[in-house]
């Protein structure tokens, strides 16, 4: 289990939970409760919203607390003193850094360890991560080899929740617009009929 003590990351994670909770609350208690949904349709809509909300929270927690794939730190650090001496004495000229060949291990000068291919050093975590994608402040963790699946599922479920809310709101708006149009035509008909009766 991993927990980063970055204040901005913790605040971002709390904001994610608040936004997801507000989305679920708005769908169930404002769109479905006061909309044109009856009995079974309302219950199914609320159940779907709760399921998407719960899966988003679970996947967010798994992505936040799972080790992203930190490269283990070695007890014996790599000795760079000879390289530093050569650089200071001017015997070694600075060459342009080229990316390492694919499939070869590289050296991290910050962690002072050998790291597998496609590993990168995260400045926020202070560690090298296998297959690091990026450091996400919304989960307060790196997205790497071991938690990429949970991060992708979190994004997918929260996206489905947003899409579900947008579809419900659009349907309710169109439904209310049609009803208001029908009511206005009915009122006009009744009003004209009453006037006709009065005139006759």
């Amino acid at each position: 289990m991993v927990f980063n003590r970055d204040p901005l990351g913790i605040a971002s994670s709390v904001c994610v939970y608040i936004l997801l909770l507000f989305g679920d609350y708005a769908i169930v208690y404002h769109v479905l409760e006061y909309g044109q949904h009856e009995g079974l349709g309302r219950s199914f809509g609320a159940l779907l919203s709760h399921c998407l909300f719960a899966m988003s929270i679970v996947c967010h927690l798994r992505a936040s607390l799972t080790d992203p794939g930190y490269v283990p730190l070695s007890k014996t650090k790599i000795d760079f003193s000879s390289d530093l001496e050569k650089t200071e004495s001017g015997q070694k000229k600075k060459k342009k850094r080229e990316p390492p060949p694919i499939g070869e291990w590289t050296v991290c000068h910050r962690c002072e360890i050998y790291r597998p291919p496609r590993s990168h050093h995260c400045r926020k975590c202070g560690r090298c991560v296998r297959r690091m994608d990026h450091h996400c402040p919304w989960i307060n963790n790196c997205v790497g080899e071991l938690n990429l699946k949970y991060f992708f599922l979190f994004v997918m479920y929260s996206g489905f929740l947003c899409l579900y809310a947008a579809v419900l709101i659009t349907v309710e708006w169109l439904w209310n617009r049609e009803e208001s149009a029908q009511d206005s035509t009915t009122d006009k008909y009744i009003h004209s009929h009453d006037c006709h009766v009065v005139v006759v």
Side-chain angles (χ1 to χ4, degrees):
M1 188 171 115
V2 175
F3 180 75
N4 294 321
R5 297 178 182 177
D6 179 25
L8 180 62
I10 295 171
S12 300
S13 296
V14 171
C15 286
V16 168
Y17 297 139
I18 291 172
L19 289 172
L20 288 173
L21 183 62
F22 176 75
D24 185 52
Y25 168 78
I27 289 172
V28 174
Y29 293 103
H30 288 279
V31 179
L32 293 174
E33 187 70 25
Y34 298 104
Q36 305 297 326
H37 302 277
E38 300 294 334
L40 189 61
R42 182 184 301 170
S43 300
F44 177 76
L47 180 64
L48 181 59
S49 178
H50 289 325
C51 286
L52 290 173
F53 167 73
M55 292 304 294
S56 298
I57 293 293
V58 168
C59 291
H60 186 276
L61 285 172
R62 292 295 299 267
S64 299
L65 301 177
T66 300
D67 179 1
Y70 291 131
V71 178
L73 296 173
S74 177
K75 293 180 180 179
T76 58
K77 302 293 183 180
I78 301 173
D79 186 17
F80 295 108
S81 58
S82 59
D83 293 338
L84 290 173
E85 288 173 6
K86 288 179 183 178
T87 306
E88 288 174 1
S89 62
Q91 294 177 4
K92 189 175 182 181
K93 294 181 180 178
K94 289 185 178 179
K95 295 181 180 178
K96 187 178 179 181
R97 292 186 80 180
E98 296 180 359
I102 297 173
E104 286 192 6
W105 285 54
T106 55
V107 175
C108 177
H109 294 278
R110 294 186 181 92
C111 297
E112 298 182 356
I113 56 170
Y114 290 101
R115 59 189 179 190
R118 296 178 60 190
S119 299
H120 299 283
H121 184 86
C122 176
R123 289 178 293 176
K124 290 280 187 184
C125 299
R127 296 282 299 274
C128 288
V129 181
R130 295 193 303 271
R131 296 188 180 182
M132 177 182 167
D133 188 86
H134 67 286
H135 183 91
C136 181
W138 300 108
I139 65 171
N140 192 28
N141 199 1
C142 282
V143 179
E145 184 179 42
L146 301 181
N147 67 345
L148 179 63
K149 171 178 65 176
Y150 303 121
F151 177 76
F152 177 76
L153 288 173
F154 160 67
V155 172
M156 186 181 72
Y157 284 123
S158 55
F160 283 158
L161 184 63
C162 293
L163 184 63
Y164 179 57
V167 168
L168 280 179
I169 291 169
T170 305
V171 168
E172 286 296 325
W173 179 71
L174 291 174
W175 187 290
N176 290 334
R177 189 177 175 187
E178 288 178 3
E179 281 197 347
S180 62
Q182 288 176 357
D183 290 343
S184 63
T185 54
T186 305
D187 290 342
K188 285 179 183 177
Y189 173 75
I190 292 172
H191 182 67
S192 64
H193 184 67
D194 289 345
C195 291
H196 180 68
V197 169
V198 169
V199 169
V200 169

